[in-house]
Amino acid sequence: MKILVTGAVGFIGSHTAERLHSLGHEVVALDNFNDYYSLDLKHLNAKALTEKGIPILKKDLCDSTFAEDMPNDFNYIFHFAAQPGISQTSTFEDYLSNNVFATKNLVDFALSCSNLKLFINISTSSIYGLVATFTEDEAPKPASYYGVTKLAGEQLVLQKSREELLKACSLRLYSVIGPRERPEKMYTKLISLGLEGKSFPLFEGSDKHLRSFTYVEDIVDGIVSVIGKEAVVNGEAINLGTEVEHTTKEGIEAVEKILGKSIELNIIPKRPGDQSRTKANIDKARKLLNYNPKTTLLEAVKKQAEWYKKNFIN
């Protein structure tokens, strides 16, 4: 199958592109290489893709002309490209452009792909709101610009399924961790600062937050399993993550155990829109995709620490 992966030099997109390639598919990667976070990390991810023979197109989905010289014979589109996370440095316009307008442009392109079997939108548990423990049938209550615009993008995709103009589904991911995680995210920052002997900035009260910390390869298992299941997943939103909950404090302790050292905490003011609890309800994923994440938190942290040391410690 010929597959387009957007946001393919990012964290989860790069892992998914590699997995699809390893499964024998013809993968085309697309990314705009923006500088929201370290371009060094993006180029490191891109190097891993090119070494496997995966071509990378440098294009911005916010540009309505991005598709002018694009092939349109894709069988699947996996849409990861987005303005990620809850960040005080990102404006509403950033989220709107990259999560809504960009998705609309990609959907318009998808409608021109006559061989397209399925459009897979990558969404987030943030669409549920401050507490994300629900089934996919519950009404979303996003509490951040990120959640609001990701929900809007999801609905733009599923709208076309309802209109029977294309087959599409949306996968709502929960607290993904592992190698290539963005530098501002919890585990990469914990590992980095821990190795440097520096303090970790902890949002006030967040040590008690509960999360479904899910290893990236377990997430990718669920993502790629939609291939061949177009009739089953068409029109569906599906949660992907682990049912096992850990507090942020337990996450910090896992890093300390793997590194063999304690990490000093620097308490900073609360972050607006931050979720207090995420627990993936994956009954639908088990039923439709036979999804079964197995990696423990300690195993995931160990693999992430090994990756970080290999690539960023001289």
Side-chain angles (χ1 to χ4, degrees), residues 11-20 22-23 25 78 80 118 120 122 169 171-174 176-177 214-229 233 238-242 282 284-286 288-296 299 303:
F11 171 30
I12 312 170
S14 62
H15 282 282
T16 301
E18 284 185 330
R19 178 76 70 84
L20 291 167
S22 73
L23 293 172
H25 299 293
F78 287 81
F80 290 88
L118 188 68
I120 303 94
I122 303 302
C169 66
L171 307 178
R172 297 171 176 172
L173 311 187
Y174 280 70
V176 188
I177 66 173
T214 312
Y215 185 53
V216 62
E217 293 296 344
D218 285 345
I219 283 287
V220 174
D221 285 346
I223 292 171
V224 303
S225 69
V226 302
I227 292 177
K229 298 185 176 70
V233 303
I238 304 170
N239 296 332
L240 292 181
T242 178
I282 57 173
K284 181 188 281 190
R286 288 190 191 280
L288 300 184
L289 304 175
N290 194 30
Y291 180 61
N292 188 32
K294 296 179 179 179
T295 308
T296 67
E299 290 169 340
K303 292 176 182 179

Side-chain angles (χ1 to χ4, degrees), residues 68-89:
E68 285 184 351
D69 58 348
M70 287 271 292
N72 66 349
D73 57 344
F74 294 106
N75 303 115
Y76 294 89
I77 295 175
F78 287 81
H79 179 38
F80 290 88
Q83 184 71 29
I86 301 171
S87 171
Q88 295 176 336
T89 64

